[in-house]
Amino acid sequence: MLKRQNPSTPEHRRNLAAHGGALSMSHNDSRSFFSLSQLVLSAGQIKPLPALKHSKVTYFEVEIVDVQSKKQICIVDKVPPASTLLDVKHKFHKACPQWYPSRVGLQLERNGPFLKDSVSIQSLAVSSIVTLYFTDLGQQVGWTTFFLTEYTGPLLIYLLFYIRLSTIYDQVESRKNFRHPVVHLACFCHCLHYIRHLLETLFVHKFSEGHTPLKNMIKGCAFYWGFTSWIAYYINHPRYTPPSFGHKQVSYAALAFLMCEAGNHFINVALAHQTNSGNRTCFPSPTYNPFTWLFLLVSCPNYTYEAGSWISFTVMTQTLPVGIFAFLMVIQMSLWAQKKHKLYLKRFYPEVRRKAAMIPIIF
């Protein structure tokens, strides 16, 4: 027979005490957890600790190599990715003070084109080291200085011949011979042409921060100043003969000259307004101004009006030097117009494809 245990035995009391202690501890833990939950709910949502941001900026090293000798000139280190080529030129100038930024030409390849100052280093980088080839561009001048010097010379030179200096013409012959009205009109038109150029250089045209070699300015000045001296000498000479068809030829040619000058000015204003407004998505369209209607036929009407001015001046004065100068100007401007027309075709193909470059049908 099985023996029934007595619940009052010591072993039973020990078991009961142990079980009762466990129940008591479990009850205390529940109360503690409940209190902690209430505390958390009253404090609000637990916000995670902010994670530490480990920002790692990659810097580039730009190696400047001489394009002729292929020798390393210097290394520009710690160049940020957002830096432009102009920033590199400034740091290069600090390392080599004799090469100021406008004189430095940098190429990605030895026979490649010169890179623009606005190009970012990150766009050129294949690795952390960027190799650029250096070329000395020579003495540089700003575009504003270039045009002001080029246009001021003809204005002053023509006036020196107009007043008939004793060192240029014979004074006895100058007093004896009568000046034809076309001589005074030619002086007015010539001065008006270059004064317009000077004012547009100062107040209309917006040039970039780029530069051009000093030798280009010397070439331009030699061309304009030399031809102006030749033209002014013949027109203001005491033995100058007026045009063959007299007053009618002079009047019509002068009217055409003034119209071309006005058209050139309004075209330049329209182009400058397009640049200032930042709207380069479409080709300049004609406005209510009749002088801008030439945009319907050609893509470079400013060159068309410029050529028309010199052709009209040739007819008005009927002199060989002006004719040769006008012929050379038409050739040069047609080359400029063709080059600009190709750029327009890339940017505004649907609008420019049926236009001529400078002269309808011919160019």
Side-chain angles (χ1 to χ4, degrees), residues 132-149:
L132 297 176
Y133 294 93
F134 161 76
T135 301
D136 180 16
L137 299 178
Q139 189 75 20
Q140 302 287 302
V141 293
W143 285 110
T144 303
T145 304
F146 176 89
F147 288 114
L148 290 178
T149 306

Side-chain angles (χ1 to χ4, degrees), residues 46-349:
I46 298 178
K47 296 181 179 179
L49 293 175
L52 295 177
K53 295 182 179 179
H54 300 282
S55 60
K56 186 177 179 181
V57 179
T58 304
Y59 292 96
F60 294 99
E61 290 185 358
V62 180
E63 180 188 21
I64 308 295
V65 180
D66 186 77
V67 71
Q68 298 294 336
S69 63
K70 299 182 182 179
K71 294 181 179 180
Q72 183 188 96
I73 300 176
C74 74
I75 292 181
V76 181
D77 57 352
K78 293 185 178 181
V79 178
S83 298
T84 61
L85 210 63
L86 183 60
D87 300 328
V88 175
K89 289 183 179 181
H90 282 292
K91 291 185 177 182
F92 177 56
H93 174 58
K94 290 182 180 179
C96 304
Q98 69 271 26
W99 310 118
Y100 53 90
S102 61
R103 188 167 182 163
V104 175
L106 297 177
Q107 302 162 277
L108 196 59
E109 300 175 355
R110 291 190 63 195
N111 298 324
F114 290 109
L115 301 172
K116 295 183 179 180
D117 291 343
S118 58
V119 175
S120 64
I121 294 298
Q122 193 172 12
S123 64
L124 303 175
V126 179
S127 63
S128 60
I129 300 177
V130 181
T131 302
L132 297 176
Y133 294 93
F134 161 76
T135 301
D136 180 16
L137 299 178
Q139 189 75 20
Q140 302 287 302
V141 293
W143 285 110
T144 303
T145 304
F146 176 89
F147 288 114
L148 290 178
T149 306
E150 194 175 65
Y151 296 143
T152 303
L155 179 64
L156 300 178
I157 290 172
Y158 196 98
L159 292 175
L160 292 177
F161 283 92
Y162 176 73
I163 61 178
R164 290 184 177 178
L165 295 176
S166 58
T167 55
I168 301 175
Y169 302 112
D170 181 68
Q171 290 299 306
V172 176
E173 193 173 16
S174 298
R175 297 191 193 98
K176 188 184 300 183
N177 292 345
F178 171 74
R179 287 197 187 193
H180 194 274
V182 70
V183 176
H184 304 291
L185 183 61
C187 180
F188 170 77
C189 292
H190 191 274
C191 292
L192 176 66
H193 178 78
Y194 284 102
I195 288 174
R196 179 185 62 81
H197 273 303
L198 290 172
L199 293 177
E200 287 178 352
T201 301
L202 293 174
F203 304 109
V204 177
H205 298 300
K206 301 297 179 183
F207 301 104
S208 62
E209 297 298 327
H211 297 76
T212 185
L214 179 63
K215 61 182 180 181
N216 288 348
M217 189 179 75
I218 295 175
K219 291 179 182 178
C221 290
F223 177 77
Y224 279 97
W225 295 14
F227 262 104
T228 300
S229 302
W230 192 22
I231 291 170
Y233 177 80
Y234 270 84
I235 296 177
N236 296 286
H237 198 280
R239 297 183 182 180
Y240 169 75
T241 55
S244 303
F245 296 96
H247 179 73
K248 185 178 292 187
Q249 178 179 342
V250 173
S251 300
Y252 288 146
L255 181 61
F257 177 87
L258 295 176
M259 291 180 64
C260 289
E261 288 294 303
N264 202 339
H265 172 70
F266 288 121
I267 292 296
N268 288 331
V269 170
L271 293 174
H273 177 72
Q274 181 202 23
T275 303
N276 293 340
S277 61
N279 183 18
R280 298 188 179 185
T281 58
C282 59
F283 187 75
S285 57
T287 63
Y288 62 89
N289 190 337
F291 290 103
T292 63
W293 294 350
L294 200 57
F295 273 124
L296 296 172
L297 302 176
V298 296
S299 59
C300 303
N302 51 328
Y303 295 140
T304 307
Y305 282 122
E306 184 79 9
S309 294
W310 285 111
I311 293 174
S312 302
F313 194 77
T314 302
V315 176
M316 182 178 64
T317 57
Q318 197 175 309
T319 54
L320 180 63
V322 181
I324 295 175
F325 180 74
F327 176 73
L328 295 177
M329 288 294 290
V330 169
I331 293 177
Q332 181 61 71
M333 285 183 290
S334 65
L335 296 176
W336 289 340
Q338 286 287 343
K339 184 177 180 180
K340 188 173 288 188
H341 184 70
K342 292 179 180 179
L343 295 176
Y344 284 156
L345 285 174
K346 294 180 180 179
R347 295 181 183 179
F348 319 110
Y349 173 73

